[in-house]
Amino acid sequence: MNTLTNNTFYPESELVINGDGSIFHLHLKPEQLADKVILVGDPDRVSLVASHFDKQECEVNNREFHTITGHYHGKRITALSTGIGCDNIDIVMNELDALANIDFKTRTEKTAHHSLTLVRIGTCGGLQPNTPTGTFIASLRSIGFDGLLNFYAGRDKASDLQLEAAFKKHVGWNLKMGNPYVACADNNLIDQIAGDDMVRGITIACGGFFGPQGRKLRLPLMDPDLNEKIESFEYNGLHVDNFEMESSALAGLATLMGHHAMTCCMVIANRRAKKMDTDYKGDIDELVTLVLERI
Ligand code: R1P
Ligand code: URA
């Protein structure tokens, strides 16, 4: 644990605490948060994770944020849904960090830094021949098309600038689409969670499911060849394996805040073969079990 020296007072409008002492969006109180956190997009997936718990401590619901804290084989774990998108990750990460590191009574930082371990279990679209539906993918790096980290001063420190430059050059990135950044997962956590049963690679986290992931329905795209260029990109033996929508903001903010985070996803859309598994909800339980065992 690091010792902090920041005595900044966080006023009501910045650190928003409800009348019952819970944080504004998540509706959680500091004592309801475990050190190990499993993040999922879908609120129903929280119930799936918690169905494995030996004991449940609390269940809280507000908007898309569904939380259950409980115990799995002696480990205290919080399962929490983020809803869809990096904008929600900004809320979830800032509120989790506040629950862990700010004293709600004095509205100042606690003197000792508290690190959380955060594993996101998501669904994704596979982009490579070795990522058909059902594949589990762990994101070593996440290229953020979402732009969230660009609003934080530590953006360049948290981004893998060499990979960022190589990617932009390879695809001929059009800055009208915003500036992508590259967030890094926690290496130790990757080694702990991602066994031989997971492909390790680069993920692209998008600010949308359609245009930003190259899905064209009625609207033409800014760069119609972008997915082809993404699929052919290679960096130090790594390829872009998948698209999802949260891993960049999660990894980037965790790095800046001093938490350990990573994302693993199950492929449900095979973008190459143009196939989709809409009946995936039971299958993702296998990934949930792996993470619960290893976290
Ligand atoms: C889009 O359908 C959603 O699915 C993926 C994307 O990241 C996005 O949130 O993850 P989840 O299944 O965890 O929501
Ligand atoms: N989630 C995504 O973001 N994209 C997909 O193609 C499938 C799931």
Side-chain angles (χ1 to χ4, degrees), residues 51-66:
S51 70
H52 295 270
F53 287 172
D54 309 311
K55 196 177 91 188
Q56 196 170 304
E57 264 181 40
C58 64
E59 180 166 12
V60 178
N61 273 293
N62 186 47
R63 296 179 179 240
E64 56 267 70
F65 309 113
H66 176 205

Side-chain angles (χ1 to χ4, degrees), residues 3 5 146 174 182 197 213 268 277 285 287-288:
T3 302
T5 50
D146 54 283
N174 181 345
V182 181
D197 36 26
Q213 297 188 24
I268 62 168
D277 174 14
D285 198 38
L287 183 56
V288 167

Side-chain angles (χ1 to χ4, degrees), residues 248-270:
S248 52
L250 171 62
L253 290 178
T255 300
L256 296 181
M257 291 169 174
H259 302 298
H260 309 290
M262 65 163 284
T263 290
C264 50
C265 289
M266 185 176 83
V267 177
I268 62 168
N270 184 338

